[in-house]
Amino acid sequence: MNELSKYYDKVLMTEEEIKKMVARLGAEITRDYAGKKLFLICVLKGGFVFMADLVRAIDLPLEVDFIAVSSYGSSTKTSGVVRLLKDIDKPLNDKHVLIVEDIMDSGLTLNYIKSMFVNRNPLSVKVCTAFDKPERRKVDITPDYVGAVIPDEFVIGYGLDYDGILRNLPDLCILKRDIYEK
Ligand code: PRP
């Protein structure tokens, strides 16, 4: 990823470290849901890389679906407004739902999504996030599974973008400050 190295000056988590993190989460989820069938719902767009890795680390029968929400635009700050752009296809009444996110920041997005799914009366709803910035939380929501707690930096890669690009970086990196401050 030579062409993309100009966008960051620090790697926060390497591809190898992320692999281990996903393996650990997959093992935890496999243990916790033993004997059950899971329904994983990925929050697009950022969640797609983590989702693809996580499903292959879970040794259980599972289904997948995807939702799309919009909360940020190209700004780095949350607007607090969550819009549902794409919903799932099936009712949830007989499902154990696990929401899969790339990152939790203010918690506003997941708070909205979790309440929406809880209101559809599934068997259970839990949240799995690859990365968490708990110090940024604006609402009282704690993920059930967390890959890594990270500092309050503008992170890119492993599904996370800057202005739509850089999601394909295999490492989790810190965006160069002069790129978003110019
Ligand atoms: C990011 C991320 C979460 C949300 C977290 O999505 O994927 O959905 O922000 O922030 P919060 O905890 O403050 O609500 P973003 O709006 O950047 O969309 P994207 O996944 O399509 O890039």
Side-chain angles (χ1 to χ4, degrees), residues 11-162:
V11 174
L12 206 54
M13 268 183 99
T14 64
E15 189 176 7
E16 271 316 300
E17 290 168 330
I18 294 173
K19 250 185 205 156
K20 284 188 190 139
M21 171 194 103
V22 175
R24 173 182 56 80
L25 288 171
E28 276 178 39
I29 292 166
T30 302
R31 188 195 60 215
D32 292 353
Y33 288 89
K36 296 182 179 133
K37 193 171 134 188
L38 256 176
F39 190 58
L40 268 70
I41 302 177
C42 169
V43 185
L44 295 170
K45 299 177 180 134
F48 83 102
V49 178
F50 179 45
M51 176 78 158
D53 286 344
L54 186 65
V55 290
R56 288 174 290 175
I58 299 174
D59 188 12
L60 291 173
L62 60 84
E63 288 181 83
V64 299
D65 208 338
F66 301 84
I67 61 165
V69 296
S70 164
S71 55
Y72 275 48
S74 60
S75 146
T76 59
K77 301 267 186 316
T78 178
S79 61
V81 179
V82 179
R83 275 194 306 139
L84 185 64
L85 305 176
K86 183 217 168 293
D87 204 346
I88 54 170
D89 304 330
K90 288 185 178 177
L92 291 179
N93 46 309
D94 60 344
K95 310 278 188 215
H96 288 289
V97 172
L98 184 60
I99 306 167
V100 178
E101 257 287 21
D102 52 349
I103 192 162
M104 270 182 87
D105 193 303
S106 69
L108 288 163
T109 308
L110 264 177
N111 199 42
Y112 171 87
I113 293 168
K114 193 177 176 189
S115 316
M116 180 179 75
F117 289 146
V118 166
N119 286 334
R120 297 181 191 183
N121 296 313
L123 298 174
S124 65
V125 183
K126 284 190 182 182
V127 170
C128 177
T129 188
F131 309 111
D132 191 11
K133 291 180 181 174
E135 66 190 89
R136 298 261 308 163
R137 208 70 94 243
K138 286 189 183 154
V139 285
D140 184 21
I141 180 167
T142 308
D144 301 277
Y145 302 95
V146 178
V149 170
I150 59 168
D152 184 16
E153 301 277 2
F154 196 133
V155 283
I156 47 164
Y158 201 67
L160 290 149
D161 73 307
Y162 162 67

